[in-house]
Amino acid sequence: MDAAKTSFSLKSLTAALLLWALLLHGLFLVSAGALWRDEANSVNQAAAASWTGLWESLRYDSFPALYAALLRILLPGSPSSSTSPLRMMGVAVGIALLVSLWQVGRMLGSRFPVILLALLAIDPVFISEGDSIRPYGIGLLCVLWSYCAYAKLMLKPSLSWLMVASIFSVLAVQAGYTAAIFIGALALSAGIAVLASHSRGMLWRILLPGFLASLSLAPYIHTLQESREWISVLHYEVNWGEYLRGYLHTHSAASFIAWLAAASLGVYSVLRICDRGVDNPEGALNVYSSLAAATGVIAQVLFVQMMGIPTFPRYFLPGLLLAGLGLEVLTRDLRPSIRAVTALFVMLVTAWPAWSWVRLRHSNVDLVARALDDNAKPVDLVIISPWFLHPSFQLYYRGQASWATVPDLPHQSLTRYDLVREAMTDPEREQRLQKRMKQALSNGGAIWFVSQSFPERPAEMVLPAAPVFTVRPGGGDYVRFRSYWERTIIFRLYDCCKPVEWLLPRSGPVWQEENLVLTRWQLDGGNRANK
């Protein structure tokens, strides 16, 4: 009877986790709204004039061609078309990832993979990034099935699993360059498990998928070399304390508490099974899962530290995927009641943060564009600050007023850090933008300013001094120049004009990064346009 009750409890909890995950995906679908800047960049890239143009655009992006090609094939047409088909495609990827988590967990020996589902399937970052119009969901899906295929290939050598491992390993690195780190972690972990179980004849099968994956990146060598011209401006000194504080402020401590509870359970499981040996399928799978989880997380952290890339939570999802899979495998033989209580605890702790996060609108740029379409006159000038908001703005704006970014960059549909690097060497850009502002005001027009927050009056009494350009600028230089550009434009606006915040239609909660503010600036009293 107890066994029957426990089985019913796990089955019910699995169903509850799956239903809760589906509800969260549904909320994301109806709430996400307009594409934010990175999503717009993906759509604009897929809408290149030709396949050659798409390929050439890769030198300005941080992903290979797979996702842009899928967008181009599955959703052909103008990037100005409705957002709904794109959102439905994104959620379809997320649902496929949810089903795959459940199925892979079962294939690895967990009849009810509640730990895996609780840690990943209902995680708000996992859902919002997996469902977004970016390569993350496809990449996670491919890494997940690569993980399963390596495990099956290690335990039951067959041509079919060798092909599955090879295909998904290649697809994973074609979805994201950094997936090579995790495919390498899987191959290394499976190889060590095979050697520990005295199955050296299997080693070549384990190494072949990773070799094919690395070989498939050969066509991108020239593209990656060209990207070195601008990638340096994204190299920062990683501040892990700042990252943790930012994550806690944005997502609460729920995720950390959940992972701490699951990790404690995993440590307890390791202590129980470490004396069982690895000369059996169960032991080999334990070694593989433990090593993949450890190497995946460590490699992820080291990569971010060494490359100096921004510590966005989405960059850590592959490492967390391997960690979640490892915890599911290691705890699969624990008492079902312990697993059920842990999964239920994780579900309850993360419920409200997940609900709150997936209900956020990704951007209100469509509302800003609509206001400008209806109210900005041809003699007006629209200024977008910071500059990287322009991909999504271009996607929705159809008005007659001309627009410019801060700094004043050539109109491009993609995020082009190479152009920003050039702007650092060209101090006249700021003067050219000032000239355009004077012309618009002299002709009786207004300045419309699109920004991430209301532009408060600067504390400086004089115009900010321009930074000094270095021979090879890094992330610190970019931060200084961006601050200078954005402070300068606000200084010039207040020097001549008076702002009025333009009220946008109510749209519910919006992600802070793209909860944009629209202000209208006109000449103030005795101020003149040529001041």
Side-chain angles (χ1 to χ4, degrees):
M1 179 65 70
D2 290 341
K5 287 182 178 180
T6 301
S7 178
F8 177 77
S9 298
L10 278 175
K11 186 182 298 185
S12 301
L13 182 57
T14 302
L17 286 165
L18 290 172
L19 290 173
W20 177 235
L22 288 171
L23 176 60
L24 293 177
H25 284 285
L27 284 172
F28 178 89
L29 177 62
V30 299
S31 303
L35 305 182
W36 71 290
R37 56 186 180 267
D38 281 5
E39 293 178 310
N41 193 80
S42 292
V43 173
N44 292 337
Q45 185 180 36
S50 64
W51 283 100
T52 301
L54 188 154
W55 181 263
E56 291 177 349
S57 72
L58 297 178
R59 73 183 69 178
Y60 310 119
D61 200 16
S62 53
F63 292 97
L66 177 63
Y67 191 73
L70 285 175
L71 281 180
R72 188 179 182 90
I73 293 170
L74 297 177
L75 297 172
S78 170
S80 62
S81 58
S82 172
T83 300
S84 298
L86 292 163
R87 287 286 174 222
M88 288 188 284
M89 174 184 167
V91 172
V93 173
I95 298 296
L97 190 53
L98 168 63
V99 174
S100 296
L101 284 170
W102 176 75
Q103 183 61 35
V104 168
R106 290 173 60 86
M107 293 175 69
L108 295 179
S110 292
R111 186 180 176 193
F112 303 109
V114 291
I115 299 296
L116 182 62
L117 294 176
L119 289 174
L120 298 177
I122 59 175
D123 179 81
V125 179
F126 204 82
I127 291 173
S128 61
E129 298 301 335
D131 291 12
S132 67
I133 312 304
R134 292 293 278 165
Y136 302 116
I138 293 290
L140 290 169
L141 191 63
C142 294
V143 171
L144 173 61
W145 281 105
S146 296
Y147 183 101
C148 179
Y150 271 106
K152 288 294 186 179
L153 182 62
M154 179 182 67
L155 300 176
K156 288 178 135 185
S158 68
L159 179 60
S160 59
W161 281 116
L162 179 60
M163 292 178 62
V164 171
S166 300
I167 290 171
F168 278 105
S169 294
V170 169
L171 291 176
V173 300
Q174 291 297 316
Y177 296 117
T178 55
I181 298 171
F182 305 101
I183 297 301
L186 296 181
L188 175 65
S189 303
I192 292 175
V194 164
L195 292 176
S197 60
H198 307 293
S199 302
R200 290 179 175 80
M202 273 290 300
L203 192 58
W204 73 270
R205 293 183 177 91
I206 297 298
L207 298 178
L208 181 61
F211 172 75
L212 294 176
S214 61
L215 195 62
S216 73
L217 291 176
Y220 298 98
I221 292 176
H222 183 64
T223 298
L224 292 172
Q225 289 174 339
E226 291 181 324
S227 69
R228 294 174 60 185
E229 296 178 2
W230 58 266
I231 199 68
S232 62
V233 300
L234 292 179
H235 289 171
Y236 300 85
E237 183 178 349
V238 179
N239 188 326
W240 293 102
E242 183 179 334
Y243 162 71
L244 292 174
R245 287 191 296 271
Y247 187 92
L248 291 173
H249 174 74
T250 305
H251 297 283
S252 82
S255 180
F256 286 105
I257 295 171
W259 278 94
L260 181 61
S264 300
L265 198 64
V267 171
Y268 172 68
S269 301
V270 170
L271 294 176
R272 291 180 68 250
I273 64 179
C274 62
D275 59 343
R276 297 182 185 177
V278 295
D279 292 329
N280 56 80
E282 180 181 348
L285 183 57
N286 288 335
V287 170
Y288 167 69
S289 300
S290 302
L291 289 174
T295 56
V297 172
I298 293 172
Q300 179 80 82
V301 171
L302 290 177
F303 176 77
V304 171
Q305 180 66 43
M306 293 173 62
M307 295 297 294
I309 59 177
T311 49
F312 297 129
R314 57 182 174 270
Y315 292 166
F316 296 91
L317 292 178
L320 293 179
L321 173 64
L322 300 190
L325 287 162
L327 288 171
E328 179 61 53
V329 170
L330 291 172
T331 62
R332 69 192 186 281
D333 292 330
L334 290 181
R335 287 171 53 187
S337 58
I338 297 177
R339 286 166 48 82
V341 168
T342 303
L344 182 60
F345 172 77
V346 172
M347 181 180 178
L348 294 176
V349 166
T350 59
W352 177 249
W355 173 271
S356 302
W357 185 253
V358 299
R359 289 175 61 244
L360 289 178
R361 223 177 189 267
H362 268 198
S363 178
N364 65 350
V365 66
D366 56 329
L367 304 181
V368 170
R370 193 180 308 157
L372 290 169
D373 290 345
D374 296 339
N375 298 282
K377 300 175 182 178
V379 293
D380 294 345
L381 174 65
V382 179
I383 297 179
I384 302 166
S385 178
W387 67 274
F388 50 67
L389 297 173
H390 75 86
S392 52
F393 178 80
Q394 284 181 262
L395 197 62
Y396 295 100
Y397 179 61
R398 296 293 177 270
Q400 297 180 348
S402 61
W403 61 272
T405 58
V406 178
D408 191 7
L409 303 178
H411 285 194
Q412 293 284 337
S413 60
L414 303 180
T415 304
R416 294 278 300 272
Y417 280 94
D418 62 313
L419 297 178
V420 176
R421 187 181 185 280
E422 291 177 10
M424 294 181 187
T425 68
D426 184 8
E428 293 185 1
R429 288 177 188 258
E430 200 265 328
Q431 281 75 30
R432 289 199 295 269
L433 181 56
Q434 183 188 9
K435 184 177 180 180
R436 294 183 65 181
M437 293 169 58
K438 289 179 179 179
Q439 183 177 3
L441 294 170
S442 297
N443 292 336
I447 305 295
W448 297 83
F449 192 62
V450 180
S451 55
Q452 292 176 305
S453 60
F454 184 82
E456 300 290 347
R457 183 180 290 275
E460 296 100 330
M461 299 301 294
V462 296
L463 197 67
V468 177
F469 178 77
T470 57
V471 176
R472 184 170 177 78
D477 297 288
Y478 169 62
V479 169
R480 285 189 290 274
F481 270 92
R482 179 183 158 188
S483 175
Y484 162 72
W485 290 324
E486 293 172 18
R487 286 161 46 220
T488 299
I489 189 63
I490 295 174
F491 185 95
R492 293 197 183 280
L493 285 170
Y494 270 103
D495 195 38
C496 69
C497 303
K498 182 173 68 175
V500 174
E501 183 171 356
W502 199 268
L503 295 180
L504 301 172
R506 296 184 63 181
S507 60
V510 183
W511 181 38
Q512 184 179 0
E513 278 288 306
E514 289 219 11
N515 189 11
L516 305 182
V517 175
L518 178 63
T519 49
R520 187 174 185 270
W521 300 72
Q522 286 186 302
L523 289 176
D524 182 19
N527 290 344
R528 296 175 299 174
N530 61 354
K531 183 174 179 180

